[in-house]
Amino acid sequence: FPVTIGVDMDGTIAAYQHLPVDKYNSIDFINGEHLKHSLPVKPVLDKLQHYATMGSNIYVLSATPDNLCQQDKIDWLKKHVPFIPENNYYFIGNKRWKHVMLRNIIKKMKLKTCDVTMVDDEHQVLDELATIGINPVHVSMFLTESF
């Protein structure tokens, strides 16, 4: 089983939902509080909790457009994923930079890149992770395969 697992939040451990828009048809991150009400993806969380009990270190890497969204995500994680410590939450402004954040975590924790698995629902993100030697796993495969 993997020693270190990075996991995306939106669409991976928290279900996607319709985002509220303002009068300009832009996503209303300020008043929407949509992140607070995302439903947990229970099969993924159950498998992550199993890995956590087996000694895996699990890190959440999630994109947030602003501090309000970040706090909503922290509150959601504390409620639905209490087995992942808060110091294992990492937020970035753009999902395209997850590979950079994960590479920094690997360096900080003195891990081997080949021992790290990242679970995400975005193929583009997974492709970028593969280029730096991280084991990319689509959330659909995470549920069906054993690592």
Side-chain angles (χ1 to χ4, degrees):
F1 67 92
V3 175
T4 303
I5 302 171
V7 65
D8 172 51
M9 189 167 173
D10 303 302
T12 302
I13 61 173
Y16 276 125
Q17 58 187 325
H18 295 287
L19 301 177
V21 293
D22 62 17
K23 65 182 180 179
Y24 305 105
N25 207 29
S26 297
I27 297 172
D28 184 358
F29 290 110
I30 303 299
N31 299 306
E33 294 187 339
H34 64 281
L35 300 169
K36 285 185 177 181
H37 308 293
S38 293
L39 296 174
V41 180
K42 187 155 175 34
V44 176
L45 293 177
D46 289 346
K47 192 161 189 178
L48 288 171
Q49 186 167 19
H50 169 75
Y51 281 125
T53 61
M54 300 292 290
S56 291
N57 294 313
I58 302 171
Y59 297 89
V60 175
L61 280 79
S62 187
T64 57
D66 58 46
N67 289 343
L68 293 172
C69 290
Q70 181 174 322
Q71 188 57 53
D72 285 351
K73 286 189 175 195
I74 289 169
D75 294 343
W76 188 94
L77 288 164
K78 286 180 177 180
K79 178 179 179 180
H80 297 287
V81 195
F83 58 90
I84 300 176
E86 188 174 351
N87 60 343
N88 285 13
Y89 305 164
Y90 290 89
F91 299 101
I92 50 176
N94 186 319
K95 65 185 172 187
R96 294 289 317 268
W97 294 100
K98 282 184 186 175
H99 66 288
V100 174
M101 178 65 79
L102 196 50
R103 190 170 35 215
N104 288 330
I105 294 169
I106 289 167
K107 184 178 178 183
K108 177 182 176 183
M109 301 300 184
K110 297 178 173 86
L111 303 169
K112 291 182 183 176
T113 304
C114 63
D115 291 339
V116 178
T117 297
M118 179 67 190
V119 182
D120 206 307
D121 64 317
E122 295 273 340
H123 291 283
Q124 185 176 17
V125 170
L126 295 171
D127 291 344
E128 290 167 349
L129 293 166
T131 65
I132 61 170
I134 293 168
N135 302 307
V137 176
H138 191 269
V139 64
S140 62
M141 297 306 293
F142 182 72
L143 293 173
T144 60
E145 291 186 10
S146 178
F147 298 96

